[in-house]
Amino acid sequence: MSYLLHIDSSSRGADSVSRQVARSFRDSWRGPVVHRDLEAAPVPHLSAAVITAHRTDKAERTAEQAAIAAVQEELIEEFLGASAYLFTVPMYNYSMPSVFKAWLDQIMVVGVTMALPDSPPAAGRPALVISARGGGYGPGTPNHGMDHVVPALETVLGHRLTLGLDVNILTPELTLAPVVPYMSEFIPLHEASLADSHEQARKLADAFQAAL
């Protein structure tokens, strides 16, 4: 086993429910961890420099191309060197934090991490996505169908034509119930969802390690 790669993208620091559930996973993990906090140190968004750098011989790259290519190569090496993954990706305005999308755009490269038409090099490696959200988005809720985080990440992280990871999802819900008065009736549901997410995170840490 090499290491667990933990990518954080919450902007709320210690108050982040996604980070708190991730801590339960980490507390059960026995082994090395590489932690990248995208809130503390965001990676560059895609630019013309990084896109054109791939088509330019290294000796002919501009200083800007060389600098951004070095960042991307570091991120890709870090991704490919992991044997398991932990992603904390809360829902912000029905989608993922822009810092996480920027990280994805940097590490998703056809022929490197997306080895089409062959299987991607990280195919089958276990991954856990923890995505806290302020409301409820399951079947029968008013917000059903408005979750644009989990479906997107299941495709981007888990599809055989993308990164091919074995993706698990935890969604601690109704995190606004304790702080928004009109949602106070949902506090018991939030507490149950949070407790279950902590328990499942610990179990998944053990399962990942057993599989590895």
Side-chain angles (χ1 to χ4, degrees), residues 133 135-145 147 171 173:
R133 57 273 318 281
Y137 292 81
T141 66
N143 293 327
H144 183 54
D147 177 356
T171 54
E173 293 192 321

Side-chain angles (χ1 to χ4, degrees), residues 52-66:
T52 57
H54 288 293
R55 311 190 195 106
T56 305
D57 186 89
K58 286 187 177 182
E60 298 178 358
R61 288 175 180 171
T62 65
E64 182 184 12
Q65 286 175 324

